[in-house]
Amino acid sequence: MNPTDDQHLRQRLHEDLGALEISPAPVLRVTGRGQGIRVRRRALAAGTAILATLAVVAAAQFNGPAAAPSVTLNQPNPAAPGGVFASGTADGKRWTLAVRNIAAAPGTHRCLPAVMFNGHNGDGLFKVIRRTPTFGNPAFLAHVPGFPGVGAVFTQVAPGETRLVGTSPDGRSISARAVQVRACGTTFNLAGFAFAQRHPPAEIATYGRFGLGDGLVVNIGTITSLFGPTAPGIWANLDKSRSDIAASQARHPIGTGTVSGQIWHIWASLGLYGQCYHAAMRTPGHGRGQLTECVPVAAPPRTAELTVVPVSSAQAQLPGYAGLVSPRTAYAYASLSDGTTHRVVPVRVAGRAYIAIVGPAGCQLTSLSLFDASGHLFANVGKFTQPIPGLPQRHG
């Protein structure tokens, strides 16, 4: 099974099993003030993927000679300057969890809140519903690019809850204070922390003025790796809201065209599964092929940030590219290795500017030139190999 199939399987299981309810499970259970809270199987599936990953990583760390990184957690600033609600160090390297607007450039009317680890590797924020346990819908980042041996978790805690405490299987605990962050017209009560993967949290619980709120307990010993590891930089969410899942799976068309008689389409979706691109191609009389590629959620780039998305049919596979360009971009010229240049107009979804490019088999994208609404070239990405029609090769 390739990574794309694995991502698709985990997403389908997350959706399809969501309608089923189970009694308290041997793997995952929720404890509250005097009563249990039933957990949907969708949360179990997501929790299995999260904690299986953490368990596998932890086992690898225990078996290896390397020591666990030293991870610290600072006392948060209640004012949450810059949207920061948690921070600390990992082996002396600073880390932060902060809320950012990932919709568009600062100062625009578009707003889409997300939690970012050091300004990268984001996870979209959805407002929790009333029936959600006090620990909210936790999200785990099992593999943090640039921080080997470190993971992270954050969640929205209920009003009145002041602390989120994580406890590892060996009894080690870390306590994070909840901080109110105002973003996109909504107030989020957030708490989170980073942790050494050798000591992943086996339980997280909320505490308030009346003591223990709700706790999420996980028996790591019974977890299997059925759902596979989470891709680096992508958060694994326990959000079981049907509306949040539907919003995350909603596909928005960002490009279509024809290459050698084959019709291709690329869509984008954004939410609980990361930033995902879905490609399909149809050859008349020979059916169609589909593929999904998910990457970490990023803020709008200053120039461009593209992902390789192969586009397949029953007969061929073509090189495809999809991703974000600067919100300033009105149009772009893409140069391919076959010597052709193509004009591309971004498609805007929730303030984010997307483009999609597909070339003939065996070709590669060699450069991308970005123009603003006034027709000014403001960025060249890659090696500029072909002149833009009607313009000099270099333009200030």
Side-chain angles (χ1 to χ4, degrees):
M1 180 179 294
N2 60 46
T4 296
D5 292 336
D6 180 63
Q7 291 170 349
H8 183 65
L9 172 61
R10 286 189 285 120
Q11 184 169 332
R12 286 292 304 275
L13 288 172
H14 194 183
E15 174 187 11
D16 295 343
L17 298 180
L20 302 178
E21 291 198 5
I22 58 173
S23 58
V27 175
L28 184 67
R29 74 177 186 273
V30 179
T31 59
R33 295 188 180 98
Q35 63 179 3
I37 300 175
R38 291 201 298 175
V39 183
R40 293 185 186 274
R41 192 177 298 270
R42 186 189 302 116
L44 173 62
T48 301
I50 296 164
L51 290 157
T53 298
L54 298 179
V56 170
V57 173
Q61 292 287 343
F62 276 122
N63 293 333
S70 174
V71 181
T72 68
L73 177 66
N74 299 331
Q75 291 298 321
N77 185 334
V84 176
F85 62 89
S87 64
T89 61
D91 277 346
K93 188 176 180 179
R94 178 174 168 79
W95 63 265
T96 62
L97 290 172
V99 180
R100 297 283 188 266
N101 175 18
I102 61 169
T108 63
H109 70 283
R110 294 282 188 176
C111 198
L112 191 63
V115 169
M116 310 291 280
F117 188 99
N118 277 13
H120 305 281
N121 309 311
D123 192 44
L125 275 176
F126 295 91
K127 193 65 177 177
V128 295
I129 60 177
R130 289 185 179 180
R131 295 185 299 276
T132 304
T134 61
F135 54 72
N137 299 314
F140 292 80
L141 186 58
H143 302 279
V144 186
F147 285 79
V150 175
V153 59
F154 82 89
T155 190
Q156 297 180 60
V157 300
E161 304 300 321
T162 58
R163 288 186 298 139
L164 180 72
V165 177
T167 305
S168 65
D170 61 3
R172 304 185 187 209
S173 64
I174 185 169
S175 178
R177 290 185 181 179
V179 175
Q180 285 192 345
V181 180
R182 184 76 176 171
C184 301
T186 302
T187 298
F188 300 95
N189 200 33
L190 295 164
F193 53 86
F195 55 86
Q197 290 177 339
R198 282 188 60 174
H199 309 291
E203 177 183 4
I204 57 174
T206 53
Y207 289 83
R209 58 184 301 185
F210 300 110
L212 175 66
D214 294 320
L216 179 66
V217 183
V218 180
N219 184 354
I220 295 181
T222 63
I223 295 175
T224 69
S225 58
L226 172 63
F227 298 96
T230 307
I234 297 181
W235 294 81
N237 290 271
L238 289 184
D239 190 343
K240 53 188 178 291
S241 163
R242 291 183 181 274
S243 60
D244 295 349
I245 292 172
S248 300
Q249 293 176 336
R251 298 184 178 189
H252 305 274
I254 61 171
T256 186
T258 302
V259 176
S260 302
Q262 301 179 101
I263 304 169
W264 63 267
H265 301 270
I266 295 181
W267 300 264
S269 63
L270 177 69
L272 300 174
Y273 313 108
Q275 174 69 75
C276 297
Y277 299 104
H278 315 273
M281 185 165 64
R282 177 172 57 87
T283 302
H286 296 279
R288 63 183 272 174
Q290 299 184 66
L291 178 143
T292 293
E293 188 73 33
C294 294
V295 297
V297 174
R302 296 182 61 182
T303 55
E305 187 170 313
L306 301 185
T307 298
V308 175
V309 184
V311 182
S312 301
S313 70
Q315 290 189 315
Q317 178 172 291
L318 303 181
Y321 303 85
L324 293 167
V325 293
S326 166
R328 181 182 171 187
T329 307
Y331 59 93
Y333 278 98
S335 295
L336 301 178
S337 57
D338 65 353
T340 60
T341 300
H342 306 265
R343 191 176 189 270
V344 184
V345 177
V347 174
R348 301 183 188 276
V349 180
R352 292 161 70 85
Y354 294 91
I355 64 170
I357 305 159
V358 175
C363 287
Q364 292 182 334
L365 178 67
T366 57
S367 71
L368 189 68
S369 302
L370 307 179
F371 293 78
D372 61 21
S374 299
H376 295 137
L377 173 63
F378 67 89
N380 279 331
V381 182
K383 183 180 179 182
F384 192 76
T385 57
Q386 299 297 325
I388 296 172
L391 291 175
Q393 184 167 338
R394 297 289 180 184
H395 188 70

